[in-house]
Amino acid sequence: MSNLVEDNPAKHRFEILVDDALAGFTAYLVRGGVLVFTHTEVDTRFQNMGVGGALIRGTLDQVRARGARVVPQCPFMSAYIDKHPEYADLVAEPS
């Protein structure tokens, strides 16, 4: 199973494709150099397969590469960052 995380700026979300099928997304709002993540959803066909974690990891890696920061309003992303403190430096204080 191959997966790919891509930003879809037109829809304001990062999407994860599994074998070319949309398996999930994490939605964001842009606030300057900060991305406020509001909601994460994984298709029921792909739940409990690590797709959500792969989506968040790929998203945060791309945010880091851009030099941006995140506000994880989404409980799933927030919990992921709590469990993976190597991403804690990406969290911006909410304004």
Side-chain angles (χ1 to χ4, degrees):
M1 180 172 74
S2 69
N3 60 48
L4 175 68
V5 176
E6 294 181 325
D7 189 6
N8 183 338
K11 292 189 175 180
H12 299 287
R13 66 190 198 180
F14 282 83
E15 301 172 339
I16 187 165
L17 303 174
V18 176
D19 298 330
D20 297 324
L22 179 63
F25 65 87
T26 184
Y28 62 84
L29 304 168
V30 179
R31 298 281 181 265
V34 176
L35 300 177
V36 180
F37 285 88
T38 56
H39 179 69
T40 300
E41 203 169 293
V42 174
D43 187 291
T44 52
R45 295 173 298 156
F46 297 100
Q47 288 179 357
N48 302 313
M49 295 169 56
V51 170
L55 168 61
I56 300 301
R57 183 174 57 251
T59 297
L60 293 172
D61 287 344
Q62 290 184 46
V63 169
R64 184 185 303 283
R66 292 181 191 177
R69 310 278 302 276
V70 302
V71 174
Q73 287 181 350
C74 163
F76 187 83
M77 178 177 277
S78 183
Y80 185 91
I81 292 171
D82 286 345
K83 289 182 193 139
H84 299 87
E86 64 271 23
Y87 292 109
D89 63 306
L90 294 177
V91 177
E93 293 301 317
S95 51

Short mmCIF file of all heavy atoms in Angstrom, two decimals, residues 14 20 27 30-31 47 49 53 57-58 64-65 73 76 79 91:
data_model
loop_
_atom_site.label_atom_id
_atom_site.label_comp_id
_atom_site.label_asym_id
_atom_site.label_seq_id
_atom_site.Cartn_x
_atom_site.Cartn_y
_atom_site.Cartn_z
N PHE A 14 -4.78 19.28 3.36
CA PHE A 14 -3.80 18.29 2.95
C PHE A 14 -4.57 16.99 2.80
O PHE A 14 -5.39 16.64 3.65
CB PHE A 14 -2.69 18.13 3.99
CG PHE A 14 -1.67 19.23 3.95
CD1 PHE A 14 -1.89 20.43 4.60
CD2 PHE A 14 -0.47 19.06 3.27
CE1 PHE A 14 -0.95 21.45 4.56
CE2 PHE A 14 0.49 20.07 3.23
CZ PHE A 14 0.24 21.26 3.88
N ASP A 20 -3.82 5.72 -5.02
CA ASP A 20 -4.52 6.68 -5.87
C ASP A 20 -5.96 6.99 -5.45
O ASP A 20 -6.69 7.65 -6.18
CB ASP A 20 -4.50 6.26 -7.35
CG ASP A 20 -3.08 6.22 -7.90
OD1 ASP A 20 -2.27 7.07 -7.49
OD2 ASP A 20 -2.79 5.33 -8.72
N ALA A 27 -8.09 19.60 7.22
CA ALA A 27 -8.46 20.92 6.71
C ALA A 27 -7.80 22.02 7.52
O ALA A 27 -7.58 21.89 8.72
CB ALA A 27 -9.97 21.08 6.76
N VAL A 30 -5.68 29.59 6.64
CA VAL A 30 -4.39 30.27 6.58
C VAL A 30 -4.49 31.58 7.37
O VAL A 30 -5.39 32.38 7.13
CB VAL A 30 -3.99 30.56 5.12
CG1 VAL A 30 -2.65 31.29 5.08
CG2 VAL A 30 -3.94 29.27 4.31
N ARG A 31 -3.57 31.75 8.31
CA ARG A 31 -3.48 32.98 9.10
C ARG A 31 -2.03 33.47 9.04
O ARG A 31 -1.24 33.13 9.90
CB ARG A 31 -3.89 32.73 10.55
CG ARG A 31 -5.33 32.26 10.72
CD ARG A 31 -6.31 33.42 10.62
NE ARG A 31 -7.67 32.98 10.79
CZ ARG A 31 -8.51 32.69 9.79
NH1 ARG A 31 -8.10 32.75 8.55
NH2 ARG A 31 -9.75 32.34 10.04
N GLN A 47 -9.74 3.35 7.97
CA GLN A 47 -9.52 3.56 9.40
C GLN A 47 -8.81 2.37 10.02
O GLN A 47 -8.88 1.25 9.52
CB GLN A 47 -10.85 3.85 10.10
CG GLN A 47 -11.36 5.24 9.73
CD GLN A 47 -12.70 5.58 10.36
OE1 GLN A 47 -13.30 4.78 11.06
NE2 GLN A 47 -13.16 6.79 10.11
N MET A 49 -5.71 1.72 10.02
CA MET A 49 -4.63 1.22 9.17
C MET A 49 -3.41 2.14 9.22
O MET A 49 -2.50 2.02 8.42
CB MET A 49 -5.12 1.10 7.72
CG MET A 49 -6.22 0.07 7.52
SD MET A 49 -7.00 0.15 5.89
CE MET A 49 -5.63 -0.05 4.79
N GLY A 53 -2.38 8.77 11.01
CA GLY A 53 -1.05 9.14 11.48
C GLY A 53 -0.12 9.51 10.34
O GLY A 53 0.64 10.48 10.42
N ARG A 57 1.62 13.12 9.91
CA ARG A 57 3.09 13.16 9.81
C ARG A 57 3.52 13.83 8.50
O ARG A 57 4.37 14.71 8.48
CB ARG A 57 3.66 11.74 9.91
CG ARG A 57 5.19 11.70 9.89
CD ARG A 57 5.72 10.28 10.14
NE ARG A 57 5.21 9.30 9.19
CZ ARG A 57 4.31 8.35 9.47
NH1 ARG A 57 3.82 8.23 10.69
NH2 ARG A 57 3.90 7.50 8.54
N GLY A 58 2.92 13.42 7.38
CA GLY A 58 3.26 14.00 6.08
C GLY A 58 2.93 15.48 6.02
O GLY A 58 3.67 16.29 5.45
N ARG A 64 6.83 21.99 8.07
CA ARG A 64 8.19 22.28 8.53
C ARG A 64 9.07 22.71 7.36
O ARG A 64 9.83 23.67 7.45
CB ARG A 64 8.80 21.06 9.21
CG ARG A 64 10.19 21.33 9.80
CD ARG A 64 10.86 20.11 10.37
NE ARG A 64 10.13 19.39 11.39
CZ ARG A 64 10.03 19.79 12.67
NH1 ARG A 64 10.59 20.90 13.06
NH2 ARG A 64 9.37 19.05 13.53
N ALA A 65 8.97 22.01 6.23
CA ALA A 65 9.79 22.32 5.06
C ALA A 65 9.51 23.72 4.54
O ALA A 65 10.40 24.38 4.00
CB ALA A 65 9.56 21.28 3.96
N GLN A 73 -6.11 23.01 16.18
CA GLN A 73 -7.44 23.03 16.81
C GLN A 73 -8.11 21.67 16.69
O GLN A 73 -8.95 21.31 17.50
CB GLN A 73 -8.33 24.10 16.17
CG GLN A 73 -7.94 25.51 16.54
CD GLN A 73 -8.85 26.56 15.91
OE1 GLN A 73 -9.67 26.25 15.05
NE2 GLN A 73 -8.67 27.79 16.33
N PHE A 76 -7.51 15.45 16.69
CA PHE A 76 -6.66 14.36 16.19
C PHE A 76 -5.23 14.85 16.00
O PHE A 76 -4.28 14.19 16.42
CB PHE A 76 -7.25 13.80 14.89
CG PHE A 76 -6.53 12.56 14.41
CD1 PHE A 76 -6.85 11.32 14.92
CD2 PHE A 76 -5.53 12.66 13.45
CE1 PHE A 76 -6.17 10.17 14.48
CE2 PHE A 76 -4.86 11.52 13.01
CZ PHE A 76 -5.19 10.28 13.53
N ALA A 79 -3.58 15.57 19.41
CA ALA A 79 -3.17 14.34 20.08
C ALA A 79 -1.92 13.75 19.42
O ALA A 79 -1.03 13.24 20.11
CB ALA A 79 -4.32 13.33 20.05
N VAL A 91 4.23 24.20 16.69
CA VAL A 91 2.98 24.76 17.22
C VAL A 91 3.16 26.22 17.56
O VAL A 91 4.05 26.60 18.33
CB VAL A 91 2.51 23.97 18.46
CG1 VAL A 91 1.26 24.58 19.05
CG2 VAL A 91 2.27 22.50 18.10
#
